[in-house]
Amino acid sequence: VPYAALWITMLVGGAIVVVLALLGAEVYEGVVDEAGLANLDKPALALSEDLRTPELNAAVTGFTNIGGSIGMPILASILTAWLTWVNRTWRPIILVCGAAAVSVSATTFSKNLVGRSRPDFINAVPPYETSPSFPSGHALNSTVVIGVLVYLTCLQLKKTSARVAVIAAGLVFVLAMGLSRVFLGHHWMTDVIAAWLLGLAWLGIVILAHRLFHVIRHREHAGPAPTFDHPAHLRDGRPSAPAGNPTGSEESADGSSTPEGKDDVGARG
């Protein structure tokens, strides 16, 4: 049941996000385009052009490539592999891959539906991009993927200061990624803002699905969520005890035991 809740929440939530992306694209096309270009997009592009230098252009191009179709999968794979090893469970892979799949789908559908043109090449920094502009895929995908990775990392940290540092680093990365697209003239500012909002909506649903997974396990007295070391087979509604631990408690890394049925949200993810 807990895994079913995890999958159902993510599937239903993913469908909702895709629908929101399509509806948002329709509204955007009819309402935001004229006002956005006049009041926000053109001034933001003009400011970016004033700030450009050859050195800064090269640095920002290198950074924005991290959020592209090659850089982001590599970064996400490395961090997800680390979280999987630390957690000793497949759940980081499920969450990150599921979140990224919906994010990419929402981006693709919205781009094809709106078909908004990017800023002219004369206002952009090469290499130029020709795909539709709305929404920004770099901003949307980085919001979702980095957001999930930050959330899972925070579950492993006990110190509040460390969690704040990780959240701050993730926030700076996402904001910088979106602004880099405007700076280089590859997207309009409203493309990036829409991507951030859509990404945050989907990120919230993914986190909700993960929390529901642990809440349901706790209510069913299923014990700590299964890991590679403790598969947690159920027997008569109670978890089987690991070898050498007949009391049914899970032994932690430092040799102490956690009570049977304790929710491990903050320890395992």
Side-chain angles (χ1 to χ4, degrees):
V1 174
Y3 276 107
L6 177 66
W7 281 110
I8 291 174
T9 304
M10 290 189 66
L11 288 174
V12 173
I16 292 174
V17 167
V18 171
V19 171
L20 286 176
L22 299 179
L23 292 176
E26 290 285 356
V27 174
Y28 179 89
E29 187 176 20
V31 177
V32 178
D33 191 53
E34 293 298 329
L37 285 174
N39 299 330
L40 181 59
D41 289 338
K42 288 183 177 179
L45 180 59
L47 176 61
S48 298
E49 291 182 279
D50 292 339
L51 295 175
R52 290 174 189 165
T53 65
E55 296 76 16
L56 187 56
N57 292 352
V60 175
T61 297
F63 172 73
T64 202
N65 287 338
I66 298 176
S69 58
I70 297 177
M72 182 55 68
I74 293 175
L75 176 63
S77 296
I78 293 173
L79 295 177
T80 303
W82 173 75
L83 284 168
T84 300
W85 180 78
V86 170
N87 283 277
R88 307 295 296 166
T89 172
W90 297 111
R91 282 186 295 282
I93 295 178
I94 294 174
L95 291 174
V96 173
C97 290
V102 172
S103 175
V104 171
S105 298
T107 301
T108 302
F109 291 156
S110 298
K111 285 180 178 290
N112 292 334
L113 180 61
V114 176
R116 187 187 192 191
S117 298
R118 295 175 185 265
D120 294 334
F121 288 165
I122 193 173
N123 302 121
V125 176
Y128 305 118
E129 300 183 25
T130 58
S131 61
S133 185
F134 177 90
S136 167
H138 283 65
L140 176 54
N141 295 326
S142 65
T143 299
V144 172
V145 174
I146 297 302
V148 173
L149 291 171
V150 165
Y151 165 69
L152 293 175
T153 300
C154 285
L155 294 181
Q156 307 304 315
L157 303 175
K158 296 182 179 179
K159 293 185 177 180
T160 301
S161 59
R163 293 181 178 180
V164 171
V166 170
I167 293 173
L171 182 60
V172 169
F173 181 92
V174 170
L175 291 175
M177 184 59 64
L179 294 177
S180 74
R181 307 303 291 161
V182 179
F183 176 86
L184 295 172
H186 295 169
H187 278 285
W188 301 105
M189 189 67 206
T190 45
D191 298 335
V192 173
I193 293 175
W196 281 336
L197 294 176
L198 191 60
L200 287 174
W202 175 226
L203 174 62
I205 292 174
V206 173
I207 293 176
L208 174 63
H210 185 248
R211 305 302 292 185
L212 284 176
F213 168 82
H214 286 285
V215 168
I216 292 175
R217 285 195 62 86
H218 179 73
R219 288 182 177 178
E220 292 188 346
H221 306 289
T227 66
F228 298 151
D229 301 322
H230 301 282
H233 300 290
L234 297 182
R235 181 177 58 206
D236 297 329
R238 299 175 64 83
S240 59
N245 190 8
T247 63
S249 61
E250 183 182 75
E251 190 172 12
S252 62
D254 60 0
S256 61
S257 297
T258 58
E260 182 181 25
K262 180 180 179 181
D263 185 11
D264 66 338
V265 165
R268 292 288 185 182

